[in-house]
Amino acid sequence: MKEILYLEVPTPDTANVLDWLQIKFEPGMGEKLLTPDGFRLKISTKTTNAQGKITEKLPSELSVFLWSVQRTTYLKVFRWGDQPVAGEAEILQRLTNEIRREFPCNYPEPPAIDPRKSIFEELANSYPLTVKYFQKMPNGEYDLNRAYWWEQRWREGVRNPQQPRQVVFSPGQEASSIASSASPIYDLIYIGGALGVVHAAVMAQLGYKVLLVERLPFGRMNREWNISRDELQSLINLGLLTSAELETLIVREYKDGFNKFFDGNNPPKLRSPILHTPTVLNIALDSEKLLRMCGEKLRKAGGEIWDETEFIRADITGTQVAITVKHLPSENQQCVTARLLIDAMGTASPIAWQLNGGRAFDSVCPTVGAVIEGGFEPGVWDSHYGDVLFSHGDISRGRQLIWELFPGAGEELTIYLFHYHEVNGVNPGSLLEMYEDFFSILPEYRRCDLDKLVWKKPTFGYIPGHFSVGSSDRTIAFDRLIAIGDAASLQSPLVFTGFGSLIRNLDRLTTLLDTALKHDLLSFRYLNKIRAYQSNVAVTWLFSKGMMVPTGEFLPPPRINSMLNTFFGLLADEPQEVADNFIKDRCDWWTFNRLALKAARTNPALLLWIWQLAGFKDLVRWLGNYFNFTVHSLVSGLLNGWFPRFLLRSKPWLETRYPGLWFRLLVINYAIAAGKLQTDKSALALSRNHPAVNPEIAGNRLKSVNSQQ
């Protein structure tokens, strides 16, 4: 037998597809013999082939059948014999055209709900499994409301990109009354209490007066955080945590992480072994405990936290920014002032949408999942190991679904399901639809009885990505305003969220912001340079583009798994350090080019596939990106050996006399060091809060720096 057609039919209703296939579809020739999963098409021997012969005396038949996995229907056609039967191409084309017309791409909208009624009652018909299992979670009704609200907010932003809601006002634009008050009350106001509190605590410990505004009850998280030990070192280096405190936050450190993509429908040369990444995301943190600890340190340093308080607007003058907020339980509005506003609201940030004129993100990963306390049968999973990236099927309803699994405390497992997705108004990406998939196909991924699982909490969100052509093509700042974390959308397109990007760039963001505040360099031209941009991360955006199915289009179902197996198969053949550096955004120019050329030799079709997915426009943009990466690598090679030491020697006189120049030189220094595990003491000492500059902050931090040498 020979496979001659493989289609994804984008519907979970396999029974309806089978009914259509058996009753309504007319192949136009041959005798249709029904089977439990499709039909056999018996072709007259007179039309077997051009010579009128039956190859190898096999039956002259086509076998058409369906099956269901991942809440999706798939169809294959097999032929008996090696030679095409007469009219075979016409039959396959007719089948493809008619099934596409009968079962087109469908992007369901969440129903409008009555806020006076239970969210469970309102969504039960559309998302029955989601409602069923959220009801089993503590605070499930509250969390499902949050997921619904987040999706509605995201859809609104995606579909109205040209007219984002204005929330930031400059002088002369309906200025609020408090905007002209004499002096600001705070140095910094952070809007957003997840990533925001980590950075806010660091800045408060540097002596700044800080206010944190959080829409939710402070300390609640809808994601868990995984990272590696060497990346967490920045929290110790900056004095936010001691080594002992950090250990109390680690709930699990696993031995190895697996990366494997489904290859059952790939040809043998496009199948790959498991890629082992034992030091990637292998530290599971107690995220809520980390938030509470940072909150305590913020308050101890004189900062304040206003939770259950929603940001309304910001009015900016030449001397300060006035923020209007509303306390949700009382619905009372209040205005406060600061020298600088920091947007840490994530993907739903109205500030991010306004600053970029609606072009806040080029791509997104709709992500859902849950923390499960127990209920899996023994042997289903060994908690000493994690799944970093895993797929168990091909393209599903226009998405390549990918799983992540991270062990937590005790028997806890945190499981995520996500896909890479281009931002599109017709198909913005649905959390609720993904949750229905999650609860439907979790038993396919990891053997389990959903009703026996102990559900602790849901995890969900929209993880953004931006196709950065250069270091300044995305606006992340305004006068006296800057965005960080997911609101800045500058993190890795592979496996990290805004948390990983923030932690890896925490020293960079802190030192530059500290310098700007000390010298009142709070205009757009300075603040817009305080960013977590890395040219080596930007150039890999095309890799994530290759994992996105264009809205309304159909790809061969195994296409994305084939691409992933090609590249991760190469990494599996490389030394461990290469895969570790690539996934942790430390890939250098030479390694990137060597791997790219090796991938092209291994799978020449890869170049054509990327062309088809990216299109001419994005490939041209990427070439500009690659040119910037090349120039950056050259400049970095020329400067890296001596420039940090030059700055350290020049700091005493240069910063005082020429603060603007000093700031720009610091930006250059961090840019050339971006994507490297920094161990150079002279580079580390450029931070005001490093022990080499401030002897009062020493002890464990100095030991940890020395241990890296």
Side-chain angles (χ1 to χ4, degrees):
M1 295 183 70
K2 181 179 178 61
E3 179 185 313
I4 56 176
L5 185 65
Y6 177 23
L7 298 177
E8 169 224 359
V9 187
T11 175
D13 192 354
T14 305
N16 189 27
V17 181
L18 180 62
D19 180 73
W20 174 85
L21 188 67
Q22 293 182 333
I23 299 175
K24 299 180 181 178
F25 173 66
E26 292 294 338
M29 63 182 70
E31 182 184 0
K32 197 174 179 182
L33 305 174
L34 302 188
T35 64
D37 300 314
F39 66 83
R40 293 159 44 206
L41 186 64
K42 197 169 184 178
I43 308 295
S44 169
T45 56
K46 295 180 180 179
T47 59
T48 299
N49 58 32
Q51 290 76 35
K53 298 178 181 179
I54 302 176
T55 307
E56 300 178 4
K57 298 183 180 181
L58 294 172
S60 51
E61 289 184 359
L62 301 182
S63 177
V64 183
F65 62 92
L66 304 171
W67 76 98
S68 176
V69 69
Q70 300 186 127
R71 249 181 110 226
T72 301
T73 303
Y74 296 92
L75 177 148
K76 279 192 176 183
V77 180
F78 279 82
R79 177 213 308 137
W80 287 100
D82 295 328
Q83 299 299 320
V85 300
E88 176 181 290
E90 291 80 0
I91 294 171
L92 298 182
Q93 190 62 55
R94 174 180 293 187
L95 175 59
T96 301
N97 292 341
E98 293 191 16
I99 206 168
R100 293 284 184 247
R101 184 165 54 249
E102 187 70 20
F103 302 99
C105 296
N106 182 34
Y107 310 110
E109 296 277 339
I113 66 172
D114 185 343
R116 297 169 297 180
K117 296 181 179 179
S118 167
I119 189 79
F120 293 144
E121 179 184 346
E122 293 292 275
L123 296 183
N125 290 333
S126 300
Y127 308 103
L129 291 179
T130 303
V131 167
K132 177 180 178 180
Y133 292 106
F134 264 79
Q135 286 177 315
K136 295 178 180 289
M137 299 182 192
N139 304 306
E141 185 169 14
Y142 175 82
D143 287 327
L144 187 54
N145 267 302
R146 289 176 62 200
Y148 180 87
W149 170 86
W150 202 340
E151 177 163 341
Q152 293 298 103
R153 186 83 168 265
W154 172 259
R155 286 176 177 271
E156 178 186 356
V158 169
R159 288 174 171 170
N160 299 287
Q162 302 306 317
Q163 297 178 343
R165 180 168 60 96
Q166 185 173 6
V167 292
V168 179
F169 298 85
S170 57
Q173 293 182 312
E174 307 176 17
S176 68
S177 59
I178 198 170
S180 59
S181 62
S183 60
I185 301 171
Y186 299 94
D187 293 305
L188 295 159
I189 295 180
Y190 288 77
I191 309 294
L195 296 180
V197 73
V198 178
H199 196 257
V202 174
M203 297 304 293
Q205 289 184 335
L206 290 179
Y208 293 104
K209 190 172 183 182
V210 175
L211 169 65
L212 178 75
V213 177
E214 168 59 55
R215 187 180 186 276
L216 304 173
F218 179 73
R220 290 292 305 276
M221 274 289 293
N222 53 18
R223 283 190 64 85
E224 294 297 290
W225 285 334
N226 279 70
I227 198 166
S228 64
R229 191 172 284 277
D230 61 351
E231 292 167 314
L232 283 172
Q233 188 64 42
S234 65
L235 298 178
I236 299 174
N237 292 344
L238 288 168
L240 179 61
L241 301 175
T242 65
S243 296
E245 287 174 329
L246 181 60
E247 292 303 319
T248 68
L249 297 173
I250 297 174
V251 297
R252 175 75 67 175
E253 183 171 7
Y254 61 67
K255 295 179 181 178
D256 197 1
F258 306 134
N259 301 262
K260 185 69 184 86
F261 302 98
F262 181 69
D263 57 15
N265 292 304
N266 294 161
K269 70 173 185 176
L270 297 184
R271 297 175 182 176
S272 69
I274 294 173
L275 171 64
H276 296 268
T277 52
T279 57
V280 173
L281 302 179
N282 62 310
I283 301 291
L285 298 177
D286 186 332
S287 58
E288 294 189 355
K289 185 176 180 180
L290 173 59
L291 294 188
R292 291 193 299 270
M293 187 177 290
C294 289
E296 291 169 4
K297 289 177 178 289
L298 173 61
R299 290 187 175 107
K300 187 176 180 180
E304 299 178 44
I305 297 175
W306 294 357
D307 64 351
E308 296 186 88
T309 302
E310 185 174 32
F311 167 77
I312 303 298
R313 62 179 286 164
D315 294 274
I316 297 173
T317 69
T319 58
Q320 62 186 6
V321 54
I323 297 94
T324 303
V325 297
K326 181 172 72 173
H327 185 240
L328 296 177
S330 65
E331 296 191 348
N332 292 329
Q333 289 196 9
Q334 185 175 353
C335 289
V336 288
T337 57
R339 295 175 61 199
L340 182 68
L341 172 64
I342 297 184
D343 174 17
M345 286 186 281
T347 57
S349 167
I351 294 177
W353 287 98
Q354 180 183 333
L355 291 185
N356 289 277
R359 187 177 170 268
F361 316 113
D362 293 296
S363 64
V364 68
C365 288
T367 304
V368 302
V371 180
I372 302 170
E373 291 185 312
F376 288 95
E377 295 295 328
V380 170
W381 192 257
D382 185 335
S383 292
H384 292 96
Y385 301 90
D387 258 351
V388 179
L389 294 170
F390 181 92
S391 66
H392 81 276
D394 290 327
I395 293 172
S396 166
R397 304 202 317 279
R399 309 150 307 161
Q400 179 60 65
L401 299 177
I402 300 175
W403 294 93
E404 291 182 310
L405 181 153
F406 300 115
E411 296 184 6
E412 281 186 8
L413 293 177
T414 300
I415 301 178
Y416 299 106
L417 179 66
F418 71 95
H419 66 95
Y420 291 86
H421 184 66
E422 62 179 4
V423 176
N424 185 285
V426 174
N427 177 23
S430 172
L431 295 180
L432 296 175
E433 194 69 22
M434 283 286 287
Y435 256 126
E436 199 68 9
D437 287 330
F438 177 83
F439 293 116
S440 297
I441 69 179
L442 179 57
E444 297 174 4
Y445 166 57
R446 292 295 164 214
R447 186 177 71 254
C448 63
D449 181 341
L450 295 184
D451 292 324
K452 293 181 180 180
L453 299 183
V454 181
W455 304 91
K456 182 178 180 180
K457 69 175 184 179
T459 58
F460 55 86
Y462 288 99
I463 303 172
H466 175 66
F467 190 171
S468 296
V469 178
S471 60
S472 301
D473 70 330
R474 173 178 163 79
T475 301
I476 60 152
F478 193 75
D479 292 346
R480 299 191 175 273
L481 186 157
I482 185 172
I484 64 171
D486 285 335
S489 182
L490 294 170
Q491 69 274 2
S492 164
L494 296 177
V495 296
F496 290 105
T497 63
F499 175 70
S501 177
L502 179 72
I503 298 302
R504 284 176 282 123
N505 289 277
L506 195 59
D507 176 70
R508 178 186 195 179
L509 297 174
T510 300
T511 303
L512 292 177
L513 190 58
D514 176 38
T515 303
L517 285 163
K518 278 197 304 180
H519 302 292
D520 204 34
L521 305 175
L522 302 179
S523 63
F524 165 80
R525 64 175 179 156
Y526 293 107
L527 294 178
N528 202 47
K529 296 184 179 297
I530 304 177
R531 55 177 63 217
Y533 172 81
Q534 294 177 214
S535 62
N536 61 338
V537 172
V539 81
T540 60
W541 189 89
L542 198 64
F543 186 80
S544 63
K545 179 75 172 180
M547 291 185 273
M548 304 176 201
V549 180
T551 293
E553 296 185 20
F554 291 93
L555 299 179
R559 172 65 53 82
I560 293 176
N561 277 324
S562 296
M563 297 174 68
L564 291 168
N565 277 297
T566 297
F567 200 78
F568 277 74
L570 298 180
L571 292 178
D573 292 336
E574 294 284 333
Q576 185 64 55
E577 182 183 2
V578 174
D580 193 75
N581 285 337
F582 184 86
I583 297 179
K584 288 182 179 177
D585 300 339
R586 297 175 187 156
C587 186
D588 60 39
W589 188 88
W590 293 104
T591 303
F592 176 84
N593 282 277
R594 182 173 61 81
L595 291 175
L597 291 173
K598 192 175 179 181
R601 289 195 301 269
T602 303
N603 181 12
L606 195 64
L607 300 176
L608 176 62
W609 293 349
I610 292 175
W611 171 275
Q612 292 172 339
L613 286 169
F616 177 77
K617 180 180 177 181
D618 277 346
L619 277 178
V620 170
R621 292 173 64 198
W622 181 84
L623 289 174
N625 196 308
Y626 178 78
F627 176 77
N628 288 336
F629 180 38
T630 302
V631 171
H632 175 272
S633 300
L634 177 62
V635 172
S636 179
L638 294 173
L639 297 182
N640 199 49
W642 61 272
F643 193 69
R645 292 178 175 82
F646 164 76
L647 285 187
L648 186 60
R649 290 193 299 267
S650 304
K651 178 180 173 69
W653 63 271
L654 183 58
E655 181 178 9
T656 304
R657 297 180 185 179
Y658 306 104
L661 175 61
W662 170 254
F663 177 86
R664 292 180 182 276
L665 292 176
L666 275 182
V667 170
I668 294 172
N669 184 65
Y670 277 107
I672 64 175
K676 300 174 183 176
L677 184 59
Q678 189 58 260
T679 59
D680 189 320
K681 287 183 180 179
S682 62
L684 288 168
L686 288 171
S687 172
R688 179 184 110 173
N689 49 307
H690 188 271
V693 177
N694 189 345
E696 296 179 2
I697 306 176
N700 290 331
R701 295 171 57 204
L702 186 55
K703 291 178 185 177
S704 67
V705 173
N706 289 334
S707 68
Q708 295 181 31
Q709 308 309 310

